[in-house]
Amino acid sequence: MSLEDLRLEVSYEEYKKLPTEEYVLVDVRDEASAAYGRIPGSIHIPQKELEKRMSELPQGKKLILYCTRGLFSAECAQTLREKGFSAQSLEGGYTGWLLQSMEEEGQRENMNERAEEIEKSIRKKFHKALFTKFARAINEYDLVRENDKIAVCISGGKDSMLMAKLFQELKRHNKFPFELVFLVMDPGYSKANRTVIENNAKMMNIPITVFESDIFNAVYEIEKSPCYLCARMRRGYLYSRAKELGCNKIALGHHYDDVIETILMGMLYAGQTQTMMPKLHSTNFEGMELIRPMYLIREEDIKHWRDYNDLHFIQCACRFTDNCTSCRSDGTSASKRMEVKKLIAQLKETNPFVEGNIFKSVENVNLSTIIAYKKNGVKHHFLENYDLGEGQKS
């Protein structure tokens, strides 16, 4: 064994020089993190499953493991070494690989041509799956009106980045005047994550406006529901900054799968029937609205667009995801959402219409068959009007 093999970590430069037939790249992040993008050619075995799935790992090859930042993968590599494997951790993890790859791409490719290719894919290959559904949601839910000024809120993930490109495409088809501001809030990102966001925006020709806040510092010591609090604070800061810029709406990148998962999560974990609305009036910022123009777009189509264009995005850019993967940009638990996502996939195996039925369930609510419901915070019970003959008849 060489001195190089004795080291627990392998640098990006060393990894790139290795012949592909000599190693296997293993992604040890959880399913939620890996779904945001993986290093090409890697196999996915989550850290919690690694020991029981060791039989899937080849004995005769070097194993190079990576996580988000190279922290947990080093622990995994050490465990595998103790079991007799030749294993190392990729220094800097997925984030480090992403930064290095972006730097190399920027040196060898014309950025304008790259942006044009991405835009062309939206107009041609993905027009029906992405732009048509984007435009349909805007029309069906009356999300964009004449003379609107919309803050397109970009978190750095695949959904918000695609939303920005779809809004740019919508501007090309202007039927009436409206303005866009591509707004990025830095709540305390690591330098690496902020660089990834800025590099992607530059490559995709998205003219972002960045402003800073101290939200991560404010919630760092919070033990109970820090992700929920963070999400609420981020939305408030976005409303505030958008209003300062003269905007009357903020746009978020939640998609169809977010909607149906939220419906089931509310029923299974909160005992209530509700949905993620396509638009909302702001409670605290008068005259401001929140809109979700990706409302009808399927996540699989977003992933297909991302992979077709060889794009790589960060998961959340949150300080806490350097050490954990429990939060999402909307403040919900990634583990619970993943449970619901798997449940929907299982149900779809026997009922191919289950996703559409979940979505339609909040459009077809029959109040005559509801025991109780809330409206504007006030609870109403079916007995209130039962003796007036307004209840359901047998």
Side-chain angles (χ1 to χ4, degrees):
M1 182 179 291
S2 67
L3 289 176
E4 180 182 314
D5 290 330
L6 290 171
R7 290 187 293 109
L8 190 60
E9 288 189 324
V10 58
S11 69
Y12 175 84
E13 291 76 15
E14 292 166 333
Y15 150 71
K16 289 291 286 185
K17 292 177 182 177
L18 287 172
T20 54
E21 65 272 10
E22 291 185 7
Y23 70 89
V24 173
L25 197 59
V26 185
D27 185 338
V28 298
R29 297 173 298 164
D30 65 11
E31 293 179 355
S33 301
Y36 280 81
R38 287 165 39 194
I39 300 177
S42 63
I43 63 172
H44 180 228
I45 303 180
Q47 180 184 9
K48 64 181 180 180
E49 300 177 14
L50 195 58
E51 290 201 38
K52 67 180 180 181
R53 293 176 60 182
M54 284 185 183
S55 59
E56 299 177 28
L57 300 171
Q59 287 280 355
K61 289 188 177 183
K62 180 194 293 288
L63 302 177
I64 299 178
L65 285 63
Y66 72 90
C67 60
T68 301
R69 303 278 295 179
L71 302 177
F72 299 125
S73 55
E75 297 176 11
C76 294
Q78 183 60 47
T79 299
L80 290 177
R81 285 179 177 222
E82 293 169 0
K83 301 291 185 180
F85 289 90
S86 174
Q88 289 181 293
S89 170
L90 181 62
E91 186 178 9
Y94 178 76
T95 304
W97 170 83
L98 188 52
L99 286 170
Q100 293 283 353
S101 300
M102 285 181 163
E103 185 176 334
E104 292 176 0
E105 183 175 42
Q107 291 171 353
R108 69 172 179 262
E109 289 196 32
N110 184 305
M111 286 293 192
N112 289 332
E113 290 181 3
R114 188 82 167 90
E116 288 172 5
E117 290 171 1
I118 294 167
E119 291 165 3
K120 183 179 178 181
S121 73
I122 292 173
R123 293 173 195 148
K124 301 292 184 180
K125 184 174 179 64
F126 296 98
H127 187 273
K128 184 177 180 180
L130 297 179
F131 184 74
T132 297
K133 291 183 178 179
F134 183 78
R136 179 184 157 200
I138 286 173
N139 291 328
E140 188 166 325
Y141 302 115
D142 190 24
L143 301 183
V144 179
R145 295 181 178 178
E146 188 172 352
N147 298 321
D148 275 346
K149 187 172 183 179
I150 303 166
V152 181
C153 301
I154 298 174
S155 66
K158 66 184 190 312
D159 306 329
S160 60
M161 285 290 192
L162 172 59
M163 178 175 64
K165 295 307 297 180
L166 289 170
F167 262 118
Q168 287 180 325
E169 184 65 14
L170 188 69
K171 282 287 286 183
R172 291 183 65 250
H173 300 273
N174 251 10
K175 293 184 178 179
F176 52 79
F178 66 92
E179 295 182 57
L180 300 172
V181 175
F182 299 99
L183 195 59
V184 175
M185 180 183 63
D186 181 347
Y189 294 153
S190 67
K191 182 179 179 181
N193 280 332
R194 175 153 170 174
T195 300
V196 170
I197 295 172
E198 291 172 339
N199 286 352
N200 270 327
K202 182 178 180 182
M203 178 186 66
M204 297 173 68
N205 195 24
I206 302 171
I208 59 175
T209 297
V210 183
F211 73 101
E212 298 177 353
S213 71
D214 60 354
I215 291 176
F216 286 172
N217 285 334
V219 302
Y220 192 73
E221 300 297 333
I222 302 295
E223 293 184 8
K224 187 176 181 181
S225 303
C227 303
Y228 174 79
L229 178 60
C230 178
R232 296 291 297 178
M233 291 179 68
R234 289 169 77 170
R235 185 171 298 180
Y237 271 87
L238 287 168
Y239 268 130
S240 179
R241 184 58 173 163
K243 193 164 187 176
E244 287 177 10
L245 294 171
C247 299
N248 64 313
K249 292 178 179 178
I250 65 171
L252 302 184
H254 297 118
H255 48 67
Y256 185 97
D257 295 75
D258 287 324
V259 176
I260 61 175
E261 289 160 15
T262 297
I263 294 170
L264 275 192
M265 286 179 71
M267 297 174 69
L268 300 177
Y269 298 111
Q272 59 187 10
T273 300
Q274 63 177 25
T275 190
M276 184 180 280
M277 296 296 287
K279 65 178 181 179
L280 295 165
H281 289 292
S282 172
T283 303
N284 300 315
F285 296 86
E286 187 177 353
M288 296 289 292
E289 280 186 274
L290 180 156
I291 62 173
R292 295 184 170 106
M294 305 266 284
Y295 205 77
L296 301 177
I297 296 178
R298 298 306 308 264
E299 186 176 25
E300 279 303 311
D301 292 323
I302 299 173
K303 290 179 178 179
H304 190 189
W305 167 81
R306 175 198 66 192
D307 297 340
Y308 177 83
N309 288 289
D310 193 25
L311 296 169
H312 299 275
F313 304 105
I314 54 175
Q315 176 189 353
C316 168
C318 171
R319 173 187 302 171
F320 306 105
T321 55
D322 290 348
N323 302 302
C324 76
T325 52
S326 63
C327 67
R328 277 175 44 92
S329 60
D330 58 2
T332 61
S333 164
S335 60
K336 285 186 173 60
R337 191 166 287 272
M338 186 56 67
E339 288 175 14
V340 169
K341 193 182 290 286
K342 288 180 178 179
L343 175 60
I344 292 172
Q346 291 171 358
L347 293 172
K348 190 178 178 181
E349 291 177 4
T350 54
N351 178 5
F353 307 106
V354 70
E355 294 159 313
N357 288 341
I358 294 170
F359 188 89
K360 291 174 185 175
S361 69
V362 290
E363 293 182 341
N364 298 319
V365 177
N366 185 347
L367 291 181
S368 298
T369 65
I370 299 297
I371 291 180
Y373 67 93
K374 287 183 180 179
K375 184 174 183 180
N376 298 326
V378 178
K379 187 173 182 178
H380 300 274
H381 197 275
F382 86 102
L383 289 177
E384 292 175 8
N385 299 307
Y386 181 78
D387 289 334
L388 299 177
E390 295 183 14
Q392 186 180 22
K393 295 179 174 61
S394 63

